[in-house]
Amino acid sequence: QVQLVESGGGLVQAGGSLRLSCAPSGRTFRSYAMGWFRQAPGKEREFVASISWSGDTTYYADSVKGRFTISRDNAKNTVYLQMNSLKPEDTAVYYCRARIVVVTTTYDYWGQGTQVTVSS
């Protein structure tokens, strides 16, 4: 079982920056693709960014392209989400997800989330 712990959330003014961290406990996550999702009040959880197990491939939601950067440090067993030029609409609970595919079965593990609030 993989347990994920997010940190780095908080309150920031519009235009500011935050860096979220996600550190799995219990095992190394080098073989896992990692992703960040977010859920605003009254809305469904949505994709933000993802990174392959090697770090070579990244994807971003259109709404965060050019502002957010996902990265990983496998030596530190940590994935990051650098968020710049934050907007009030970025306010949400941010969740980290680890994904691994074994043969034909996909396993997803989620963290508890960290609150990000952007004031105008």
Side-chain angles (χ1 to χ4, degrees), residues 2 4 22-24 29-37 47 49-53 57-59 70-72 74 77-80 96-100 109:
V2 176
L4 305 176
C22 174
F29 76 134
R30 292 179 182 179
S31 299
Y32 292 77
M34 302 298 295
W36 287 96
F37 292 72
F47 169 78
S50 65
I51 187 167
S52 62
W53 68 270
T57 304
T58 58
Y59 294 100
I70 188 170
S71 62
R72 66 190 298 162
N74 285 342
N77 215 32
T78 302
V79 64
Y80 304 97
C96 177
R97 185 196 71 186
R99 167 170 284 186
I100 190 168
Y109 303 94

PDB file of all heavy atoms in Angstrom, residues 2 4 22-24 29-37 47 49-53 57-59 70-72 74 77-80 96-100 109:
ATOM      1  N   VAL A   2       0.567   2.164  -0.878  1.00  0.00           N
ATOM      2  CA  VAL A   2       1.304   3.413  -0.963  1.00  0.00           C
ATOM      3  C   VAL A   2       0.505   4.498  -0.267  1.00  0.00           C
ATOM      4  O   VAL A   2      -0.680   4.690  -0.542  1.00  0.00           O
ATOM      5  CB  VAL A   2       1.559   3.807  -2.432  1.00  0.00           C
ATOM      6  CG1 VAL A   2       2.237   5.161  -2.506  1.00  0.00           C
ATOM      7  CG2 VAL A   2       2.399   2.748  -3.129  1.00  0.00           C
ATOM      8  N   LEU A   4       0.423   8.557   0.408  1.00  0.00           N
ATOM      9  CA  LEU A   4       0.981   9.801  -0.116  1.00  0.00           C
ATOM     10  C   LEU A   4       0.680  10.940   0.842  1.00  0.00           C
ATOM     11  O   LEU A   4      -0.445  11.054   1.333  1.00  0.00           O
ATOM     12  CB  LEU A   4       0.388  10.122  -1.488  1.00  0.00           C
ATOM     13  CG  LEU A   4       0.507   9.033  -2.544  1.00  0.00           C
ATOM     14  CD1 LEU A   4      -0.206   9.451  -3.819  1.00  0.00           C
ATOM     15  CD2 LEU A   4       1.967   8.724  -2.823  1.00  0.00           C
ATOM     16  N   CYS A  22       4.893  16.169  -2.614  1.00  0.00           N
ATOM     17  CA  CYS A  22       4.191  14.905  -2.370  1.00  0.00           C
ATOM     18  C   CYS A  22       5.243  13.848  -2.132  1.00  0.00           C
ATOM     19  O   CYS A  22       6.101  13.607  -3.001  1.00  0.00           O
ATOM     20  CB  CYS A  22       3.311  14.536  -3.553  1.00  0.00           C
ATOM     21  SG  CYS A  22       2.539  12.911  -3.416  1.00  0.00           S
ATOM     22  N   ALA A  23       5.168  13.244  -0.984  1.00  0.00           N
ATOM     23  CA  ALA A  23       6.157  12.238  -0.614  1.00  0.00           C
ATOM     24  C   ALA A  23       5.456  10.953  -0.228  1.00  0.00           C
ATOM     25  O   ALA A  23       4.794  10.902   0.820  1.00  0.00           O
ATOM     26  CB  ALA A  23       7.021  12.734   0.536  1.00  0.00           C
ATOM     27  N   PRO A  24       5.570   9.946  -1.035  1.00  0.00           N
ATOM     28  CA  PRO A  24       4.987   8.656  -0.668  1.00  0.00           C
ATOM     29  C   PRO A  24       5.731   8.034   0.503  1.00  0.00           C
ATOM     30  O   PRO A  24       6.939   8.205   0.644  1.00  0.00           O
ATOM     31  CB  PRO A  24       5.161   7.811  -1.925  1.00  0.00           C
ATOM     32  CG  PRO A  24       5.454   8.768  -3.018  1.00  0.00           C
ATOM     33  CD  PRO A  24       6.143   9.922  -2.380  1.00  0.00           C
ATOM     34  N   PHE A  29       8.759   5.275  -5.058  1.00  0.00           N
ATOM     35  CA  PHE A  29       7.757   5.466  -6.090  1.00  0.00           C
ATOM     36  C   PHE A  29       8.393   5.668  -7.457  1.00  0.00           C
ATOM     37  O   PHE A  29       7.799   6.226  -8.360  1.00  0.00           O
ATOM     38  CB  PHE A  29       6.847   6.655  -5.739  1.00  0.00           C
ATOM     39  CG  PHE A  29       7.469   8.014  -5.968  1.00  0.00           C
ATOM     40  CD1 PHE A  29       6.752   8.991  -6.609  1.00  0.00           C
ATOM     41  CD2 PHE A  29       8.749   8.315  -5.540  1.00  0.00           C
ATOM     42  CE1 PHE A  29       7.289  10.254  -6.816  1.00  0.00           C
ATOM     43  CE2 PHE A  29       9.294   9.566  -5.742  1.00  0.00           C
ATOM     44  CZ  PHE A  29       8.556  10.544  -6.380  1.00  0.00           C
ATOM     45  N   ARG A  30       9.609   5.168  -7.634  1.00  0.00           N
ATOM     46  CA  ARG A  30      10.324   5.404  -8.874  1.00  0.00           C
ATOM     47  C   ARG A  30       9.609   4.817 -10.083  1.00  0.00           C
ATOM     48  O   ARG A  30       9.775   5.303 -11.189  1.00  0.00           O
ATOM     49  CB  ARG A  30      11.736   4.820  -8.767  1.00  0.00           C
ATOM     50  CG  ARG A  30      12.609   5.553  -7.785  1.00  0.00           C
ATOM     51  CD  ARG A  30      13.982   4.953  -7.683  1.00  0.00           C
ATOM     52  NE  ARG A  30      14.790   5.640  -6.689  1.00  0.00           N
ATOM     53  CZ  ARG A  30      16.031   5.312  -6.390  1.00  0.00           C
ATOM     54  NH1 ARG A  30      16.610   4.299  -7.013  1.00  0.00           N
ATOM     55  NH2 ARG A  30      16.690   5.991  -5.478  1.00  0.00           N
ATOM     56  N   SER A  31       8.831   3.772  -9.878  1.00  0.00           N
ATOM     57  CA  SER A  31       8.163   3.128 -11.007  1.00  0.00           C
ATOM     58  C   SER A  31       6.777   3.714 -11.277  1.00  0.00           C
ATOM     59  O   SER A  31       6.084   3.261 -12.180  1.00  0.00           O
ATOM     60  CB  SER A  31       8.034   1.627 -10.736  1.00  0.00           C
ATOM     61  OG  SER A  31       9.308   1.037 -10.589  1.00  0.00           O
ATOM     62  N   TYR A  32       6.384   4.696 -10.499  1.00  0.00           N
ATOM     63  CA  TYR A  32       5.037   5.232 -10.592  1.00  0.00           C
ATOM     64  C   TYR A  32       5.011   6.528 -11.405  1.00  0.00           C
ATOM     65  O   TYR A  32       5.877   7.387 -11.239  1.00  0.00           O
ATOM     66  CB  TYR A  32       4.483   5.555  -9.202  1.00  0.00           C
ATOM     67  CG  TYR A  32       4.225   4.351  -8.347  1.00  0.00           C
ATOM     68  CD1 TYR A  32       5.263   3.682  -7.728  1.00  0.00           C
ATOM     69  CD2 TYR A  32       2.928   3.897  -8.133  1.00  0.00           C
ATOM     70  CE1 TYR A  32       5.027   2.577  -6.930  1.00  0.00           C
ATOM     71  CE2 TYR A  32       2.672   2.797  -7.333  1.00  0.00           C
ATOM     72  CZ  TYR A  32       3.729   2.141  -6.741  1.00  0.00           C
ATOM     73  OH  TYR A  32       3.486   1.055  -5.951  1.00  0.00           O
ATOM     74  N   ALA A  33       4.010   6.653 -12.246  1.00  0.00           N
ATOM     75  CA  ALA A  33       3.705   7.958 -12.822  1.00  0.00           C
ATOM     76  C   ALA A  33       2.990   8.765 -11.747  1.00  0.00           C
ATOM     77  O   ALA A  33       2.173   8.224 -11.001  1.00  0.00           O
ATOM     78  CB  ALA A  33       2.818   7.803 -14.045  1.00  0.00           C
ATOM     79  N   MET A  34       3.295  10.041 -11.663  1.00  0.00           N
ATOM     80  CA  MET A  34       2.734  10.876 -10.606  1.00  0.00           C
ATOM     81  C   MET A  34       1.905  12.002 -11.214  1.00  0.00           C
ATOM     82  O   MET A  34       2.211  12.497 -12.308  1.00  0.00           O
ATOM     83  CB  MET A  34       3.858  11.466  -9.746  1.00  0.00           C
ATOM     84  CG  MET A  34       4.756  10.439  -9.104  1.00  0.00           C
ATOM     85  SD  MET A  34       3.883   9.346  -7.959  1.00  0.00           S
ATOM     86  CE  MET A  34       3.392  10.531  -6.695  1.00  0.00           C
ATOM     87  N   GLY A  35       0.887  12.392 -10.492  1.00  0.00           N
ATOM     88  CA  GLY A  35       0.043  13.463 -10.988  1.00  0.00           C
ATOM     89  C   GLY A  35      -0.491  14.329  -9.869  1.00  0.00           C
ATOM     90  O   GLY A  35      -0.512  13.927  -8.709  1.00  0.00           O
ATOM     91  N   TRP A  36      -0.884  15.525 -10.250  1.00  0.00           N
ATOM     92  CA  TRP A  36      -1.556  16.450  -9.343  1.00  0.00           C
ATOM     93  C   TRP A  36      -2.950  16.726  -9.898  1.00  0.00           C
ATOM     94  O   TRP A  36      -3.113  16.953 -11.111  1.00  0.00           O
ATOM     95  CB  TRP A  36      -0.794  17.762  -9.209  1.00  0.00           C
ATOM     96  CG  TRP A  36       0.456  17.666  -8.407  1.00  0.00           C
ATOM     97  CD1 TRP A  36       1.725  17.490  -8.880  1.00  0.00           C
ATOM     98  CD2 TRP A  36       0.563  17.728  -6.985  1.00  0.00           C
ATOM     99  NE1 TRP A  36       2.612  17.443  -7.841  1.00  0.00           N
ATOM    100  CE2 TRP A  36       1.926  17.590  -6.662  1.00  0.00           C
ATOM    101  CE3 TRP A  36      -0.349  17.890  -5.942  1.00  0.00           C
ATOM    102  CZ2 TRP A  36       2.398  17.607  -5.349  1.00  0.00           C
ATOM    103  CZ3 TRP A  36       0.113  17.912  -4.643  1.00  0.00           C
ATOM    104  CH2 TRP A  36       1.473  17.765  -4.354  1.00  0.00           C
ATOM    105  N   PHE A  37      -3.915  16.715  -9.004  1.00  0.00           N
ATOM    106  CA  PHE A  37      -5.292  17.022  -9.325  1.00  0.00           C
ATOM    107  C   PHE A  37      -5.770  18.066  -8.320  1.00  0.00           C
ATOM    108  O   PHE A  37      -5.134  18.267  -7.279  1.00  0.00           O
ATOM    109  CB  PHE A  37      -6.159  15.763  -9.243  1.00  0.00           C
ATOM    110  CG  PHE A  37      -5.844  14.744 -10.305  1.00  0.00           C
ATOM    111  CD1 PHE A  37      -4.671  14.010 -10.257  1.00  0.00           C
ATOM    112  CD2 PHE A  37      -6.709  14.535 -11.359  1.00  0.00           C
ATOM    113  CE1 PHE A  37      -4.361  13.075 -11.237  1.00  0.00           C
ATOM    114  CE2 PHE A  37      -6.416  13.601 -12.348  1.00  0.00           C
ATOM    115  CZ  PHE A  37      -5.243  12.871 -12.286  1.00  0.00           C
ATOM    116  N   PHE A  47      -7.864  17.254 -13.431  1.00  0.00           N
ATOM    117  CA  PHE A  47      -6.452  17.045 -13.688  1.00  0.00           C
ATOM    118  C   PHE A  47      -5.711  18.371 -13.745  1.00  0.00           C
ATOM    119  O   PHE A  47      -6.214  19.342 -14.314  1.00  0.00           O
ATOM    120  CB  PHE A  47      -6.289  16.299 -15.019  1.00  0.00           C
ATOM    121  CG  PHE A  47      -4.882  16.254 -15.543  1.00  0.00           C
ATOM    122  CD1 PHE A  47      -3.965  15.359 -15.003  1.00  0.00           C
ATOM    123  CD2 PHE A  47      -4.483  17.095 -16.556  1.00  0.00           C
ATOM    124  CE1 PHE A  47      -2.671  15.311 -15.485  1.00  0.00           C
ATOM    125  CE2 PHE A  47      -3.186  17.057 -17.056  1.00  0.00           C
ATOM    126  CZ  PHE A  47      -2.280  16.162 -16.514  1.00  0.00           C
ATOM    127  N   ALA A  49      -1.646  18.290 -13.593  1.00  0.00           N
ATOM    128  CA  ALA A  49      -0.378  17.984 -14.242  1.00  0.00           C
ATOM    129  C   ALA A  49       0.024  16.553 -13.924  1.00  0.00           C
ATOM    130  O   ALA A  49      -0.405  15.996 -12.912  1.00  0.00           O
ATOM    131  CB  ALA A  49       0.709  18.953 -13.782  1.00  0.00           C
ATOM    132  N   SER A  50       0.859  15.984 -14.794  1.00  0.00           N
ATOM    133  CA  SER A  50       1.372  14.647 -14.539  1.00  0.00           C
ATOM    134  C   SER A  50       2.798  14.542 -15.064  1.00  0.00           C
ATOM    135  O   SER A  50       3.229  15.325 -15.914  1.00  0.00           O
ATOM    136  CB  SER A  50       0.497  13.573 -15.185  1.00  0.00           C
ATOM    137  OG  SER A  50       0.534  13.684 -16.597  1.00  0.00           O
ATOM    138  N   ILE A  51       3.501  13.548 -14.540  1.00  0.00           N
ATOM    139  CA  ILE A  51       4.887  13.321 -14.943  1.00  0.00           C
ATOM    140  C   ILE A  51       5.144  11.823 -14.976  1.00  0.00           C
ATOM    141  O   ILE A  51       4.662  11.089 -14.121  1.00  0.00           O
ATOM    142  CB  ILE A  51       5.861  14.053 -13.984  1.00  0.00           C
ATOM    143  CG1 ILE A  51       7.293  13.976 -14.495  1.00  0.00           C
ATOM    144  CG2 ILE A  51       5.739  13.531 -12.555  1.00  0.00           C
ATOM    145  CD1 ILE A  51       8.234  14.935 -13.765  1.00  0.00           C
ATOM    146  N   SER A  52       5.869  11.377 -15.982  1.00  0.00           N
ATOM    147  CA  SER A  52       6.154   9.958 -16.122  1.00  0.00           C
ATOM    148  C   SER A  52       7.124   9.495 -15.033  1.00  0.00           C
ATOM    149  O   SER A  52       7.734  10.307 -14.334  1.00  0.00           O
ATOM    150  CB  SER A  52       6.753   9.682 -17.505  1.00  0.00           C
ATOM    151  OG  SER A  52       7.983  10.394 -17.649  1.00  0.00           O
ATOM    152  N   TRP A  53       7.266   8.183 -14.924  1.00  0.00           N
ATOM    153  CA  TRP A  53       8.132   7.649 -13.881  1.00  0.00           C
ATOM    154  C   TRP A  53       9.571   8.121 -14.052  1.00  0.00           C
ATOM    155  O   TRP A  53      10.296   8.315 -13.076  1.00  0.00           O
ATOM    156  CB  TRP A  53       8.077   6.121 -13.876  1.00  0.00           C
ATOM    157  CG  TRP A  53       8.695   5.489 -15.096  1.00  0.00           C
ATOM    158  CD1 TRP A  53       8.078   5.169 -16.274  1.00  0.00           C
ATOM    159  CD2 TRP A  53      10.066   5.117 -15.256  1.00  0.00           C
ATOM    160  NE1 TRP A  53       8.978   4.629 -17.150  1.00  0.00           N
ATOM    161  CE2 TRP A  53      10.205   4.573 -16.553  1.00  0.00           C
ATOM    162  CE3 TRP A  53      11.181   5.182 -14.432  1.00  0.00           C
ATOM    163  CZ2 TRP A  53      11.414   4.117 -17.034  1.00  0.00           C
ATOM    164  CZ3 TRP A  53      12.399   4.705 -14.914  1.00  0.00           C
ATOM    165  CH2 TRP A  53      12.497   4.183 -16.215  1.00  0.00           C
ATOM    166  N   THR A  57       8.493  12.883 -19.444  1.00  0.00           N
ATOM    167  CA  THR A  57       7.253  13.328 -20.070  1.00  0.00           C
ATOM    168  C   THR A  57       6.351  13.999 -19.045  1.00  0.00           C
ATOM    169  O   THR A  57       6.126  13.453 -17.969  1.00  0.00           O
ATOM    170  CB  THR A  57       6.507  12.137 -20.693  1.00  0.00           C
ATOM    171  OG1 THR A  57       7.369  11.467 -21.620  1.00  0.00           O
ATOM    172  CG2 THR A  57       5.258  12.615 -21.419  1.00  0.00           C
ATOM    173  N   THR A  58       5.869  15.161 -19.396  1.00  0.00           N
ATOM    174  CA  THR A  58       4.940  15.888 -18.535  1.00  0.00           C
ATOM    175  C   THR A  58       3.728  16.337 -19.341  1.00  0.00           C
ATOM    176  O   THR A  58       3.818  16.557 -20.551  1.00  0.00           O
ATOM    177  CB  THR A  58       5.610  17.117 -17.900  1.00  0.00           C
ATOM    178  OG1 THR A  58       6.101  17.977 -18.933  1.00  0.00           O
ATOM    179  CG2 THR A  58       6.759  16.718 -16.990  1.00  0.00           C
ATOM    180  N   TYR A  59       2.621  16.460 -18.648  1.00  0.00           N
ATOM    181  CA  TYR A  59       1.391  16.966 -19.251  1.00  0.00           C
ATOM    182  C   TYR A  59       0.788  17.994 -18.288  1.00  0.00           C
ATOM    183  O   TYR A  59       0.925  17.869 -17.068  1.00  0.00           O
ATOM    184  CB  TYR A  59       0.383  15.838 -19.480  1.00  0.00           C
ATOM    185  CG  TYR A  59       0.817  14.815 -20.489  1.00  0.00           C
ATOM    186  CD1 TYR A  59       1.347  13.595 -20.075  1.00  0.00           C
ATOM    187  CD2 TYR A  59       0.717  15.047 -21.852  1.00  0.00           C
ATOM    188  CE1 TYR A  59       1.751  12.639 -20.989  1.00  0.00           C
ATOM    189  CE2 TYR A  59       1.121  14.096 -22.780  1.00  0.00           C
ATOM    190  CZ  TYR A  59       1.641  12.900 -22.342  1.00  0.00           C
ATOM    191  OH  TYR A  59       2.057  11.959 -23.260  1.00  0.00           O
ATOM    192  N   ILE A  70       5.549  20.699 -12.988  1.00  0.00           N
ATOM    193  CA  ILE A  70       5.647  19.473 -12.202  1.00  0.00           C
ATOM    194  C   ILE A  70       7.044  18.899 -12.385  1.00  0.00           C
ATOM    195  O   ILE A  70       7.611  18.943 -13.488  1.00  0.00           O
ATOM    196  CB  ILE A  70       4.564  18.454 -12.611  1.00  0.00           C
ATOM    197  CG1 ILE A  70       4.556  17.264 -11.656  1.00  0.00           C
ATOM    198  CG2 ILE A  70       4.731  18.006 -14.057  1.00  0.00           C
ATOM    199  CD1 ILE A  70       3.356  16.324 -11.852  1.00  0.00           C
ATOM    200  N   SER A  71       7.600  18.388 -11.307  1.00  0.00           N
ATOM    201  CA  SER A  71       8.923  17.769 -11.371  1.00  0.00           C
ATOM    202  C   SER A  71       9.010  16.676 -10.316  1.00  0.00           C
ATOM    203  O   SER A  71       8.147  16.583  -9.438  1.00  0.00           O
ATOM    204  CB  SER A  71      10.017  18.815 -11.151  1.00  0.00           C
ATOM    205  OG  SER A  71       9.915  19.395  -9.866  1.00  0.00           O
ATOM    206  N   ARG A  72      10.045  15.873 -10.420  1.00  0.00           N
ATOM    207  CA  ARG A  72      10.216  14.808  -9.425  1.00  0.00           C
ATOM    208  C   ARG A  72      11.697  14.618  -9.156  1.00  0.00           C
ATOM    209  O   ARG A  72      12.543  14.832 -10.041  1.00  0.00           O
ATOM    210  CB  ARG A  72       9.568  13.510  -9.891  1.00  0.00           C
ATOM    211  CG  ARG A  72      10.200  12.861 -11.104  1.00  0.00           C
ATOM    212  CD  ARG A  72       9.312  11.718 -11.618  1.00  0.00           C
ATOM    213  NE  ARG A  72       9.166  10.670 -10.623  1.00  0.00           N
ATOM    214  CZ  ARG A  72       8.192   9.748 -10.670  1.00  0.00           C
ATOM    215  NH1 ARG A  72       7.301   9.773 -11.653  1.00  0.00           N
ATOM    216  NH2 ARG A  72       8.118   8.808  -9.741  1.00  0.00           N
ATOM    217  N   ASN A  74      13.605  11.519  -7.786  1.00  0.00           N
ATOM    218  CA  ASN A  74      13.469  10.130  -7.358  1.00  0.00           C
ATOM    219  C   ASN A  74      14.444   9.787  -6.227  1.00  0.00           C
ATOM    220  O   ASN A  74      14.167   8.896  -5.418  1.00  0.00           O
ATOM    221  CB  ASN A  74      13.672   9.194  -8.546  1.00  0.00           C
ATOM    222  CG  ASN A  74      12.474   9.177  -9.478  1.00  0.00           C
ATOM    223  OD1 ASN A  74      11.381   9.592  -9.092  1.00  0.00           O
ATOM    224  ND2 ASN A  74      12.668   8.725 -10.700  1.00  0.00           N
ATOM    225  N   ASN A  77      12.586  10.775  -3.422  1.00  0.00           N
ATOM    226  CA  ASN A  77      11.260  10.153  -3.381  1.00  0.00           C
ATOM    227  C   ASN A  77      10.160  11.196  -3.234  1.00  0.00           C
ATOM    228  O   ASN A  77       9.211  11.022  -2.443  1.00  0.00           O
ATOM    229  CB  ASN A  77      11.177   9.154  -2.225  1.00  0.00           C
ATOM    230  CG  ASN A  77      10.328   7.955  -2.563  1.00  0.00           C
ATOM    231  OD1 ASN A  77      10.266   7.522  -3.709  1.00  0.00           O
ATOM    232  ND2 ASN A  77       9.666   7.407  -1.560  1.00  0.00           N
ATOM    233  N   THR A  78      10.286  12.279  -3.987  1.00  0.00           N
ATOM    234  CA  THR A  78       9.360  13.396  -3.845  1.00  0.00           C
ATOM    235  C   THR A  78       8.989  13.949  -5.222  1.00  0.00           C
ATOM    236  O   THR A  78       9.834  14.004  -6.118  1.00  0.00           O
ATOM    237  CB  THR A  78       9.984  14.518  -3.006  1.00  0.00           C
ATOM    238  OG1 THR A  78      10.343  13.992  -1.719  1.00  0.00           O
ATOM    239  CG2 THR A  78       8.998  15.668  -2.809  1.00  0.00           C
ATOM    240  N   VAL A  79       7.733  14.338  -5.361  1.00  0.00           N
ATOM    241  CA  VAL A  79       7.275  15.029  -6.561  1.00  0.00           C
ATOM    242  C   VAL A  79       6.813  16.423  -6.150  1.00  0.00           C
ATOM    243  O   VAL A  79       6.299  16.605  -5.043  1.00  0.00           O
ATOM    244  CB  VAL A  79       6.155  14.242  -7.268  1.00  0.00           C
ATOM    245  CG1 VAL A  79       4.913  14.135  -6.396  1.00  0.00           C
ATOM    246  CG2 VAL A  79       5.811  14.867  -8.605  1.00  0.00           C
ATOM    247  N   TYR A  80       7.023  17.386  -7.024  1.00  0.00           N
ATOM    248  CA  TYR A  80       6.726  18.777  -6.716  1.00  0.00           C
ATOM    249  C   TYR A  80       5.763  19.368  -7.745  1.00  0.00           C
ATOM    250  O   TYR A  80       5.702  18.931  -8.882  1.00  0.00           O
ATOM    251  CB  TYR A  80       8.008  19.611  -6.742  1.00  0.00           C
ATOM    252  CG  TYR A  80       9.086  19.104  -5.822  1.00  0.00           C
ATOM    253  CD1 TYR A  80      10.116  18.298  -6.307  1.00  0.00           C
ATOM    254  CD2 TYR A  80       9.079  19.425  -4.466  1.00  0.00           C
ATOM    255  CE1 TYR A  80      11.119  17.835  -5.473  1.00  0.00           C
ATOM    256  CE2 TYR A  80      10.080  18.961  -3.620  1.00  0.00           C
ATOM    257  CZ  TYR A  80      11.096  18.163  -4.136  1.00  0.00           C
ATOM    258  OH  TYR A  80      12.075  17.700  -3.297  1.00  0.00           O
ATOM    259  N   CYS A  96      -2.346  14.641  -4.693  1.00  0.00           N
ATOM    260  CA  CYS A  96      -1.284  13.922  -5.378  1.00  0.00           C
ATOM    261  C   CYS A  96      -1.771  12.508  -5.682  1.00  0.00           C
ATOM    262  O   CYS A  96      -2.464  11.894  -4.849  1.00  0.00           O
ATOM    263  CB  CYS A  96      -0.048  13.874  -4.470  1.00  0.00           C
ATOM    264  SG  CYS A  96       1.347  12.959  -5.100  1.00  0.00           S
ATOM    265  N   ARG A  97      -1.430  12.009  -6.850  1.00  0.00           N
ATOM    266  CA  ARG A  97      -1.803  10.652  -7.212  1.00  0.00           C
ATOM    267  C   ARG A  97      -0.583   9.905  -7.746  1.00  0.00           C
ATOM    268  O   ARG A  97       0.181  10.440  -8.551  1.00  0.00           O
ATOM    269  CB  ARG A  97      -2.882  10.651  -8.297  1.00  0.00           C
ATOM    270  CG  ARG A  97      -3.386   9.248  -8.635  1.00  0.00           C
ATOM    271  CD  ARG A  97      -4.143   9.208  -9.943  1.00  0.00           C
ATOM    272  NE  ARG A  97      -3.275   9.392 -11.098  1.00  0.00           N
ATOM    273  CZ  ARG A  97      -3.736   9.503 -12.335  1.00  0.00           C
ATOM    274  NH1 ARG A  97      -5.029   9.457 -12.581  1.00  0.00           N
ATOM    275  NH2 ARG A  97      -2.891   9.668 -13.327  1.00  0.00           N
ATOM    276  N   ALA A  98      -0.439   8.678  -7.313  1.00  0.00           N
ATOM    277  CA  ALA A  98       0.590   7.780  -7.847  1.00  0.00           C
ATOM    278  C   ALA A  98      -0.108   6.697  -8.646  1.00  0.00           C
ATOM    279  O   ALA A  98      -1.107   6.132  -8.199  1.00  0.00           O
ATOM    280  CB  ALA A  98       1.398   7.160  -6.707  1.00  0.00           C
ATOM    281  N   ARG A  99       0.399   6.422  -9.824  1.00  0.00           N
ATOM    282  CA  ARG A  99      -0.231   5.420 -10.697  1.00  0.00           C
ATOM    283  C   ARG A  99       0.829   4.459 -11.221  1.00  0.00           C
ATOM    284  O   ARG A  99       1.899   4.861 -11.664  1.00  0.00           O
ATOM    285  CB  ARG A  99      -0.935   6.089 -11.862  1.00  0.00           C
ATOM    286  CG  ARG A  99      -1.340   5.134 -12.988  1.00  0.00           C
ATOM    287  CD  ARG A  99      -2.246   5.791 -13.993  1.00  0.00           C
ATOM    288  NE  ARG A  99      -3.603   5.923 -13.472  1.00  0.00           N
ATOM    289  CZ  ARG A  99      -4.640   6.362 -14.203  1.00  0.00           C
ATOM    290  NH1 ARG A  99      -4.450   6.725 -15.459  1.00  0.00           N
ATOM    291  NH2 ARG A  99      -5.842   6.448 -13.673  1.00  0.00           N
ATOM    292  N   ILE A 100       0.442   3.180 -11.180  1.00  0.00           N
ATOM    293  CA  ILE A 100       1.302   2.169 -11.769  1.00  0.00           C
ATOM    294  C   ILE A 100       0.422   1.157 -12.487  1.00  0.00           C
ATOM    295  O   ILE A 100      -0.689   0.859 -12.031  1.00  0.00           O
ATOM    296  CB  ILE A 100       2.195   1.478 -10.707  1.00  0.00           C
ATOM    297  CG1 ILE A 100       3.248   0.604 -11.386  1.00  0.00           C
ATOM    298  CG2 ILE A 100       1.362   0.701  -9.699  1.00  0.00           C
ATOM    299  CD1 ILE A 100       4.329   0.114 -10.447  1.00  0.00           C
ATOM    300  N   TYR A 109      -3.182   5.546  -6.269  1.00  0.00           N
ATOM    301  CA  TYR A 109      -3.110   5.862  -4.850  1.00  0.00           C
ATOM    302  C   TYR A 109      -3.193   7.385  -4.706  1.00  0.00           C
ATOM    303  O   TYR A 109      -2.549   8.120  -5.456  1.00  0.00           O
ATOM    304  CB  TYR A 109      -1.821   5.335  -4.234  1.00  0.00           C
ATOM    305  CG  TYR A 109      -1.642   3.855  -4.409  1.00  0.00           C
ATOM    306  CD1 TYR A 109      -0.917   3.346  -5.487  1.00  0.00           C
ATOM    307  CD2 TYR A 109      -2.220   2.954  -3.516  1.00  0.00           C
ATOM    308  CE1 TYR A 109      -0.767   1.979  -5.661  1.00  0.00           C
ATOM    309  CE2 TYR A 109      -2.065   1.586  -3.685  1.00  0.00           C
ATOM    310  CZ  TYR A 109      -1.345   1.110  -4.763  1.00  0.00           C
ATOM    311  OH  TYR A 109      -1.194  -0.243  -4.941  1.00  0.00           O
TER     312      TYR A 109
END
